[in-house]
């Protein structure tokens, strides 16, 4: 087995760190440590944003890696990937709305959305790690095609 690709490894690590920080932030709010909760959740959001910037940059400039595992598993991987993408999109939207509700001091909305957002984010991080493992650890990644090359044709 060869070395692991650096950008996917870093970005996946960032999303895992983000999820861990969300869990720590959740713990702090349950302990009524509001300031620690606030700081931890902003740090979790920063790691999630760092993940997104790396992921988006890699997708645009380098491309996406196709599944390189056995053909009979490709349909299952693809379905799992769609599930992960749905969760990630929902988690991002919930995260933004939850953070904005805190900024606006809309505590009723924030308290209602926070636990839902956290759970979605935990599942997003978990499924993201599984996608990473399937693409780069358990199987060798397939072809990587640049979005720019695909659009411009060179």
């Amino acid at each position: 087995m060869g070395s692991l690709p650096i950008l996917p490894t870093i970005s996946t690590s960032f999303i895992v760190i983000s999820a861990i920080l969300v869990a720590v932030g959740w713990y702090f709010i349950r302990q009524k440590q509001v300031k620690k909760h606030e700081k931890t959740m902003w740090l979790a959001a920063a790691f999630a944003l760092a993940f997104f910037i790396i992921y988006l940059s890699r997708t645009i400039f380098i491309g996406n890696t196709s599944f390189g595992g056995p053909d009979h598993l490709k349909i299952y991987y693809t379905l799992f990937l769609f599930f992960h993408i749905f969760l990630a999109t929902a988690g991002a939207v919930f995260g933004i709305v939850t953070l904005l509700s805190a900024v606006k001091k809309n505590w009723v909305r924030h308290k209602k959305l926070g636990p839902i957002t956290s759970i979605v984010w935990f599942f997003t991080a978990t499924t993201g790690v599984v996608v990473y493992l399937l693409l780069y650890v358990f199987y060798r990644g397939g072809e990587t095609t640049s979005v720019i090359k695909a659009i411009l044709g060179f």
Side-chain angles (χ1 to χ4, degrees):
M1 178 172 296
S3 63
L4 295 173
I6 191 71
L7 289 178
T9 302
I10 291 169
S11 64
T12 301
S13 298
F14 282 1
I15 210 64
V16 169
I17 292 168
S18 175
I20 291 168
L21 288 168
V22 167
V24 171
W26 196 344
Y27 169 80
F28 283 145
I29 202 61
R30 301 293 290 169
Q31 300 300 312
K32 309 271 190 250
Q33 297 179 31
V34 176
K35 286 294 178 194
K36 285 183 179 180
H37 167 77
E38 181 180 1
K39 289 177 183 177
T40 304
M41 293 311 222
W42 281 111
L43 189 56
F47 272 97
L49 181 60
F51 158 82
F52 183 71
I53 290 168
I54 293 170
Y55 175 79
L56 188 62
S57 299
R58 185 175 186 278
T59 298
I60 292 170
F61 297 110
I62 298 171
N64 285 319
T65 303
S66 63
F67 180 64
D71 286 341
H72 71 279
L73 293 180
K74 188 170 184 169
I75 185 67
Y76 301 110
Y77 168 80
T78 303
L79 291 171
F80 188 81
L81 180 62
F82 281 126
F83 177 68
H84 168 69
I85 291 168
F86 173 79
L87 278 176
T89 303
V93 171
F94 270 96
I96 290 167
V97 172
T98 303
L99 287 170
L100 287 175
S101 67
V103 168
K104 294 178 180 180
K105 299 187 184 329
N106 184 342
W107 303 124
V108 172
R109 175 184 275 176
H110 185 77
K111 287 178 183 180
K112 192 179 295 184
L113 288 178
I116 297 167
T117 304
S118 298
I119 291 167
V120 171
W121 202 244
F122 296 144
F123 279 107
T124 298
T126 302
T127 58
V129 169
V130 172
V131 167
Y132 171 82
L133 291 172
L134 290 171
L135 279 181
Y136 304 109
V137 177
F138 298 148
Y139 304 106
R140 171 184 260 168
E143 182 181 348
T144 299
T145 305
S146 169
V147 173
I148 291 174
K149 283 183 183 178
I151 293 170
L152 299 178
F154 62 83

